[in-house]
Amino acid sequence: MNDLDTLVPRIRNCRVCRDCPRHGPPLPHEPRPVMQAGTGARVCIASQAPGNKAHQKGLPFYDPSGVRLREWLAVSEERFYDPEQFAIVPMGFCFPGYDSKGGDLPPRRECAETWHESVFDALPNLSLILVIGQYAQRYHLPERHREKTLTATVANWRTILDEGNEPAVLPMPHPSWRNNAWLRKNPWFEAELLPELRRRIEGLLGPESGA
């Protein structure tokens, strides 16, 4: 057995934010931690928190944003959900609920405090971490690379990659359809960043069978 054999089941049974919350009121519904990880994973998707559809299904990115993310990565659903290829480690493992305007609340802080160090210690083969959104960028990027806006941070992607860190860290926006306007205003993301991302993914994982 490796560390993940015991760690992942413990995470999936975690109730810290519901039964003994350390930051604000308890989670407003029954916990259902959603993540995936395997010791062979070369790529980690470090995102914000699962949405309600992912919560209901128990699968990360089981929603339209997941469809777009897989298009960005140029990978199939089968490859995406293979924990020996992709680890998916959001800042909050449970759907946090909705705010008064109908948007998702921020990810629960208890998750990272309780689990993240152990999870990343148990992923020895990671070569690339995709940090999606401001919460993940705040955790995974050193302060010198965190700009005042998400746009400025993502626009600095070449400088971040050129440092040659292992694993490499690549900042990205959230693939939510709410970001359509952002994508239109920042065409360099699809024209410049995505081709480099796809090149790295194929270099790490190899071409998909049948591709």
Side-chain angles (χ1 to χ4, degrees), residues 21-76:
R22 297 191 292 268
H23 304 285
L27 190 73
H29 48 259
E30 280 297 298
R32 190 179 191 182
V34 178
M35 55 87 72
Q36 72 178 39
T39 55
R42 301 298 307 280
V43 182
C44 177
I45 298 169
S47 53
Q48 180 166 304
N52 192 29
K53 289 184 179 180
H55 168 77
Q56 297 296 331
K57 184 68 175 179
L59 278 177
F61 285 101
Y62 188 80
D63 51 25
S65 67
V67 174
R68 171 174 272 172
L69 179 57
R70 289 187 285 275
E71 290 174 352
W72 286 354
L73 302 173
V75 300
S76 66

Side-chain angles (χ1 to χ4, degrees), residues 4-25:
L4 288 175
D5 290 330
T6 56
L7 189 59
V8 171
R10 288 172 60 205
I11 291 171
R12 290 182 174 154
N13 287 314
C14 181
R15 297 181 56 87
V16 169
C17 62
R18 173 76 176 185
D19 294 348
C20 48
R22 297 191 292 268
H23 304 285

Side-chain angles (χ1 to χ4, degrees), residues 148-164:
K148 291 183 179 180
T149 66
L150 179 142
T151 299
T153 299
V154 178
N156 198 36
W157 65 274
R158 286 191 181 88
T159 299
I160 297 170
L161 286 179
D162 286 347
E163 284 197 349

Side-chain angles (χ1 to χ4, degrees), residues 31-165:
R32 190 179 191 182
V34 178
M35 55 87 72
Q36 72 178 39
T39 55
R42 301 298 307 280
V43 182
C44 177
I45 298 169
S47 53
Q48 180 166 304
N52 192 29
K53 289 184 179 180
H55 168 77
Q56 297 296 331
K57 184 68 175 179
L59 278 177
F61 285 101
Y62 188 80
D63 51 25
S65 67
V67 174
R68 171 174 272 172
L69 179 57
R70 289 187 285 275
E71 290 174 352
W72 286 354
L73 302 173
V75 300
S76 66
E77 188 171 309
E78 180 180 12
R79 169 164 275 189
F80 184 79
Y81 287 118
D82 180 353
E84 293 301 323
Q85 298 189 64
F86 282 95
I88 303 176
V89 186
M91 294 306 300
F93 293 134
C94 287
F95 169 56
Y98 294 118
D99 62 24
S100 60
K101 297 180 180 179
D104 289 3
L105 289 166
R108 299 290 306 209
R109 291 162 57 190
E110 291 90 345
C111 293
E113 293 175 354
T114 305
W115 300 111
H116 275 48
E117 184 176 354
S118 296
V119 170
F120 283 97
D121 283 348
L123 294 170
N125 293 303
L126 287 184
S127 292
L128 178 63
I129 302 176
L130 308 180
V131 285
I132 297 177
Q134 291 183 333
Y135 293 101
Q137 290 167 12
R138 194 175 301 138
Y139 183 86
H140 289 280
L141 287 175
E143 187 174 358
R144 67 182 179 278
H145 290 319
R146 297 198 304 268
E147 305 291 344
K148 291 183 179 180
T149 66
L150 179 142
T151 299
T153 299
V154 178
N156 198 36
W157 65 274
R158 286 191 181 88
T159 299
I160 297 170
L161 286 179
D162 286 347
E163 284 197 349
N165 293 325

